[in-house]
Amino acid sequence: MVQRHDASTLHFDFRLEIGGVLVSWAVPKGPSLDPRDRRLAAMTEDHPLDYADFEGRVGDGYGAGTVVVWDTGTFENITEKQGEPVSAEDALAAGHLKFVLHGQKLTGAFAITHTKMGGDDKFWLLVKIDDDGADRRRKPALTQPESVLSGRTNEDFED
């Protein structure tokens, strides 16, 4: 699932359910359907599964701002090493996870790869793999701000 989070800056919280938690990355520009785009993804703390449908206002302090569920669906791990399947947990530990999204806004294969940009361990790159879900023209992160659950936008939750 992906939450659109308007905190100190607008970003997208990209979350995959792995090992009973939502493994999470903050993606400043949002996921892209264009395989030419490389999206910075800063790994954040894992979130509990019951956070997956949260929409509303996060109070003062860390993460303060508004949140909507921008996309939801399932994912299928397709990571392999030497032709053998690799578990999502092992792929994350190795720094490269390849998966297919079955979402309402995001579909098709993606990869997220660990990078040590600037010597910082939290940075990853999120990339759309060129397949039937790729679309170089459609920009859902820019043109579809509404929640897939409620139809509301972040602005609907502002004071």
Side-chain angles (χ1 to χ4, degrees):
M1 57 91 55
V2 181
Q3 289 171 311
R4 187 174 187 265
H5 188 177
D6 195 359
S8 55
T9 60
L10 177 65
H11 64 277
F12 292 75
D13 292 320
F14 185 84
R15 307 185 194 282
L16 298 174
E17 181 182 342
I18 299 172
V21 297
L22 296 172
V23 178
S24 302
W25 294 266
V27 182
K29 292 185 177 180
S32 176
L33 296 174
D34 187 342
R36 299 171 298 184
D37 292 340
R38 306 290 181 256
R39 294 295 200 227
L40 176 67
M43 187 170 248
T44 64
E45 72 278 356
D46 295 343
H47 284 63
L49 296 179
D50 61 0
Y51 195 70
D53 61 358
F54 174 77
E55 292 192 331
R57 179 169 266 301
V58 177
D60 294 338
Y62 176 75
T66 58
V67 175
V68 296
V69 177
W70 185 77
D71 198 15
T72 189
T74 61
F75 86 97
E76 164 189 359
N77 175 21
I78 57 170
T79 310
E80 293 183 348
K81 184 174 183 179
Q82 298 174 340
E84 294 296 319
V86 176
S87 73
E89 291 90 343
D90 289 345
L92 279 178
H96 182 75
L97 176 65
K98 194 172 172 183
F99 51 93
V100 176
L101 292 178
H102 305 282
Q104 295 178 51
K105 295 180 182 177
L106 300 176
T107 59
F110 288 78
I112 192 157
T113 303
H114 192 224
T115 180
K116 295 193 182 210
M117 283 199 302
D120 197 326
D121 217 25
K122 71 180 180 182
F123 294 120
W124 296 64
L125 290 176
L126 177 64
V127 179
K128 175 71 184 93
I129 294 171
D130 200 358
D131 65 3
D132 289 343
D135 190 334
R136 288 177 163 82
R137 292 165 295 166
R138 196 164 70 87
K139 309 284 185 205
L142 296 175
T143 61
Q144 296 177 283
E146 68 283 342
S147 163
V148 295
L149 298 183
S150 67
R152 297 171 83 179
T153 66
N154 293 84
E155 292 75 23
D156 293 328
F157 290 102
E158 291 180 355
D159 292 334

